[in-house]
Amino acid sequence: MQKTIENIQNRNLCLAVAGSGYVGLPTAALFANVGFHVTALDIRDEVVKAVNSGLTPLNEPGLQELISRNVEVGRLRASLNSDENLNQADAVIISVQTPICKNKKPNLSFLEKALEDVGEAIKKGMLVVVSSTASPGTMQTLVKPKLESLSGLKADTDFYLAYVPERIAPGNALKEFVESPRLVGGMGPNSTKIASELFKTVCKTVIETDTSTAEIAKLAENTFRDVNIAFANQLALICEQHEVNVKKVIELANTHPRVNIHTPGPGVGGPCLTKDPYLLLHSSKPIDHDIIKTARQINDYMPKHITKQIQQALKKTGKDIKNSKIAILGTAYKADVDDSRQSPSNPIIHELIKLGAEVTVYDPHCNQTFGAKKANSIHEAVKGSDCLVVITDHTEFKNLSLKEIKALMNEKPTIIDGRIIINPYRAEKSGFTYYGIGLGKPRKR
Ligand code: SAJ
């Protein structure tokens, strides 16, 4: 064990990262950058080719520079061939996706395949880290037995095994990887120690625990965020009925030292918050009163609420949704990223098209249109439209020139603000019929 620790400290260790996506690639690049020889493994040819040419296949701030520098000095490379590279590795970090199926149960096929590849390659003294998000108990009931039976070796005695969940948000991944405290849950004290030593070379703070605690802690983080946003969304629906501005309500409530209500919006998107609450619920007995499921239902309802607001606002101006022209700002799931996975724009656009509207989208970061017409600027999107809908709070959308937009839109234009980024009072003064999430009548203050 001491030898492995020395090898980590001297960067004398070959690392393989299985799965080079949103998590795996930043992981591979950061470990290469502190001096390890890293192979990023992936089944996508385009990813492997891009990395080996020194290019990032992901639009993540800082990643391009990190990849080109480390590929150039020969510390980072990518490969399709997992067998050969895993056989040469002293440590493996598994960061493949763990999505959920239509029935909300985990789809472990990617993890199982990675475990098969890694299990065949395990040798004495090797470290295996799982970073993929997993349901409680996955390490004990799936990962450990599978690796032990394939290798014929014992975890924490012959090889080291740990669960080290990722905590990085796309758009700020590199900084958060280094600066957010990292949970290291070992399958035993030896595994915890070795995995800690490895992650300490990149992460500023490492917190040691066991695999099951780390699994639930990871899921609790995203589930807490989802439940908190659902609370903010319900508060928004309440405020709308009382014609009170939810933004102001939350701002005031959050002046209490022990209150931190999140921000309401058009729905919760992205690959994590929409999935992790179901992973947390999986493999535990259902209970009668379930705040986690209810939160998911509230957040899933928000796109429907936006569609209703659009219909109401158009009706108020004497227009029918059928044949109305609607401009949507944003298909990315959150601000300033190019990722549209589980974006609330998807159900909103589909419903609007189904209702007979003509929908155009503009997103400065994202090519996804979800079946709508694509515009190349805000002005192109709003030209000749009846209704402007803000779905994503991209920086570019935060200072809209309402006067210019009004001049390009049809008579009696409406705005539906799903992110509360437009001043309602200014919008009404500029001649728009304005509806916003959680907003009553526009007031000056
Ligand atoms: N959202 C709101 N209101 C808010 C905050 C977010 O409606 O107050 C919406 C966003 O617009 C987006 C969705 O929720 O549609 C998810 O946003 P997010 O900011 O939670 O971003 P993610 O999903 O990219 O990242 C989360 C992060 N988890 C936490 O902050 C607890 C990140 O640290 C995790 O690493 C990531 O999930 C993950 O991979 O698990």
Side-chain angles (χ1 to χ4, degrees):
M1 195 164 124
Q2 194 49 40
K3 183 83 193 119
T4 312
I5 292 175
E6 275 168 28
N7 286 343
I8 291 172
Q9 287 165 351
N10 300 329
R11 310 295 188 259
N12 183 19
L13 183 132
C14 285
L15 183 65
V17 176
S20 302
Y22 288 89
V23 175
L25 206 50
T27 307
L30 284 164
F31 277 102
N33 202 46
V34 296
F36 292 103
H37 279 92
V38 184
T39 309
L41 301 171
D42 207 280
I43 51 172
R44 291 167 299 168
D45 194 30
E46 68 277 14
V47 169
V48 171
K49 280 196 180 125
V51 173
N52 287 333
S53 325
L55 298 170
T56 176
L58 283 182
N59 191 5
E60 181 62 47
L63 191 58
Q64 175 55 59
E65 197 202 333
L66 219 54
I67 289 178
S68 60
R69 189 188 326 142
N70 287 287
V71 168
E72 201 179 314
V73 296
R75 279 197 303 259
L76 176 65
R77 62 187 190 89
S79 178
L80 288 169
N81 184 338
S82 58
D83 291 353
E84 189 189 315
N85 289 289
L86 289 171
N87 281 328
Q88 285 164 10
D90 306 300
V92 185
I93 299 176
I94 299 176
S95 52
V96 294
Q97 66 271 49
T98 44
I100 48 168
C101 308
K102 276 219 165 87
N103 64 5
K104 313 293 185 202
K105 303 276 178 243
N107 166 2
L108 295 175
S109 57
F110 299 96
L111 180 61
E112 283 178 350
K113 170 78 178 73
L115 291 173
E116 270 155 34
D117 294 344
V118 172
E120 303 283 353
I122 291 185
K123 51 186 183 263
K124 274 202 166 199
M126 189 162 161
L127 167 66
V128 180
V129 169
V130 177
S131 275
S132 310
T133 308
S135 288
T138 304
M139 288 298 292
Q140 284 287 355
T141 58
L142 172 73
V143 177
K144 180 175 181 257
K146 195 155 189 139
L147 293 181
E148 287 186 338
S149 78
L150 285 167
S151 65
L153 298 172
K154 268 212 96 39
D156 207 50
T157 312
D158 302 323
F159 71 98
Y160 308 109
L161 179 59
Y163 182 63
V164 185
E166 61 83 15
R167 287 173 136 181
I168 51 176
N172 201 22
L174 300 179
K175 191 166 181 273
E176 293 199 351
F177 195 107
V178 175
E179 288 180 5
S180 300
R182 198 72 193 244
L183 307 183
V184 174
M187 196 50 85
N190 299 330
S191 301
T192 307
K193 176 91 190 109
I194 298 288
S196 262
E197 282 298 327
L198 180 66
F199 278 83
K200 269 186 211 160
T201 62
V202 174
C203 308
K204 284 189 180 158
T205 316
V206 155
I207 305 171
E208 297 183 356
T209 180
D210 59 87
T211 53
S212 303
T213 308
E215 283 169 337
I216 299 186
K218 159 69 194 178
L219 294 167
E221 293 163 9
N222 282 345
T223 305
F224 167 77
R225 194 160 165 83
D226 196 49
V227 171
N228 193 328
I229 298 168
F231 175 71
N233 281 334
Q234 184 169 0
L235 209 53
L237 300 178
I238 292 170
C239 284
E240 280 174 26
Q241 292 176 38
H242 292 276
E243 301 204 330
V244 162
N245 185 332
V246 72
K247 202 173 169 181
K248 193 76 200 163
V249 167
I250 293 176
E251 194 183 304
L252 294 179
N254 283 352
T255 60
H256 187 290
R258 285 178 294 281
V259 175
N260 173 24
I261 305 169
H262 289 7
T263 313
V268 167
C272 309
L273 269 61
T274 52
K275 167 194 76 156
D276 290 359
Y278 295 114
L279 291 183
L280 179 58
L281 292 174
H282 182 74
S283 72
S284 316
K285 277 194 210 120
I287 43 176
D288 289 346
H289 308 289
D290 188 332
I291 192 175
I292 298 172
K293 263 194 193 154
T294 308
R296 283 276 73 243
Q297 283 160 358
I298 294 173
N299 291 336
D300 281 346
Y301 166 73
M302 296 313 286
K304 289 192 194 79
H305 182 67
I306 286 274
T307 314
K308 274 192 204 158
Q309 280 195 328
I310 296 170
Q311 276 176 292
Q312 279 165 5
L314 284 169
K315 206 166 161 196
K316 201 173 165 192
T317 58
K319 298 182 187 181
D320 187 0
I321 189 131
K322 195 164 180 213
N323 301 324
S324 283
K325 291 190 175 162
I326 298 174
I328 302 267
L329 296 188
T331 49
Y333 81 87
K334 68 173 183 179
D336 301 330
V337 299
D338 64 358
D339 189 342
S340 63
R341 286 177 293 169
Q342 318 298 328
S343 172
S345 306
N346 188 4
I348 293 169
I349 291 169
H350 275 110
E351 187 60 21
L352 293 175
I353 292 175
K354 213 166 97 190
L355 291 167
E358 198 180 300
V359 188
T360 305
V361 296
Y362 170 63
D363 192 305
H365 303 286
C366 195
N367 285 326
Q368 178 62 263
T369 64
F370 294 122
K373 257 199 246 159
K374 187 173 168 56
N376 293 313
S377 66
I378 296 173
H379 285 180
E380 193 186 321
V382 298
K383 202 165 179 213
S385 68
D386 302 289
C387 178
L388 167 65
V389 187
V390 179
I391 302 295
T392 314
D393 44 349
H394 288 316
T395 306
E396 188 179 327
F397 302 157
K398 284 192 177 153
N399 280 309
L400 297 177
S401 165
L402 294 180
K403 217 173 138 196
E404 284 175 25
I405 288 173
K406 166 104 184 351
L408 289 165
M409 288 178 71
N410 290 342
E411 287 282 282
K412 298 186 185 166
T414 56
I415 289 180
I416 308 298
D417 185 357
R419 294 286 180 175
I420 332 179
I421 57 175
I422 297 169
N423 181 313
Y425 179 71
R426 270 189 52 224
E428 294 250 309
K429 251 194 119 187
S430 308
F432 289 93
T433 296
Y434 175 95
Y435 279 45
I437 281 287
L439 292 182
K441 282 206 180 85
R443 287 159 215 243
K444 267 191 191 173
R445 290 166 59 77

